[in-house]
Amino acid sequence: ADLVASYEAIDVALATQFGRSTFVTGLLLDLDVATGAVRWLTAGHLPPLLIRHDRAVTLPPARPATPFGLRFSDGHPPVHTLQLEPGDRLALYTDGVVEARRLGQFFTEERLADFVVRESASGLDGAEVLRRLIRAVLDHQHGVLQDDATILLLEWAGPPA
């Protein structure tokens, strides 16, 4: 199914099983690995972070759809697009990463972007950047997660040879 059909199916399944008292935020993303075309839909969730040429790229504002399970309108959720360039990295993360607190201080989206940019610029491969990022988030919270914290780092190498 495409992103809109997937969104609608998840929304209906949650609303049917749990009523309107429960909701889930999420991000659905479709990457065409041959072309680098990305389409995504955010259901009350944070948009992806794009790292290009060792810099964080500000994406156009991504209007979120209603979280899964709470949809009240018949309108289609907004789908956003992005064209990746070879070597681009996308960081997908939950709010438990950037809202990780130590002594009242959040980890923040800015700290996340700075960390991924700095580690990427040092020439590390994506797996090592991700490992170090996870360690930094855990260290920020003294090893105890306070919320769900999920991070995915995707790197597009370019079109197949």
Side-chain angles (χ1 to χ4, degrees):
D2 68 11
L3 294 177
V4 171
S6 296
Y7 170 87
E8 290 172 348
I10 295 167
D11 185 61
V12 168
L14 284 170
T16 300
Q17 182 157 353
F18 300 106
R20 297 282 184 203
S21 63
T22 300
F23 69 91
V24 175
T25 64
L27 182 134
L28 302 176
L29 185 135
D30 179 46
L31 166 63
D32 183 325
V33 295
T35 67
V38 175
R39 298 177 67 232
W40 83 89
L41 180 157
T42 173
H45 203 275
L46 301 166
L49 166 67
L50 173 63
I51 306 299
R52 175 174 286 157
H53 306 298
D54 298 327
R55 293 192 333 218
V57 175
T58 303
L59 297 175
R63 188 170 62 87
T66 305
F68 300 116
L70 294 178
R71 194 155 158 231
F72 292 101
S73 73
D74 291 327
H76 288 296
V79 175
H80 307 282
T81 61
L82 169 67
Q83 180 58 53
L84 294 180
E85 296 178 7
D88 280 356
R89 290 180 173 170
L90 278 180
L92 311 176
Y93 53 96
T94 61
D95 60 355
V97 172
V98 295
E99 293 176 0
R101 290 178 299 282
R102 177 172 60 188
L103 302 175
Q105 297 286 345
F106 289 116
F107 192 79
T108 74
E109 291 175 50
E110 292 79 16
R111 184 177 291 171
L112 171 72
D114 288 344
F115 187 93
V116 175
V117 165
R118 186 178 62 251
E119 297 296 318
S120 294
S122 71
L124 296 173
D125 68 19
E128 183 60 18
V129 171
L130 180 59
R131 188 193 70 73
R132 289 178 182 208
L133 175 58
I134 291 168
R135 174 70 3 219
V137 171
L138 285 169
D139 288 349
H140 185 77
Q141 297 179 79
H142 299 292
V144 180
L145 293 175
Q146 301 156 10
D147 193 0
D148 67 288
T150 303
I151 309 167
L152 174 89
L153 186 62
L154 177 148
E155 183 173 351
W156 187 64

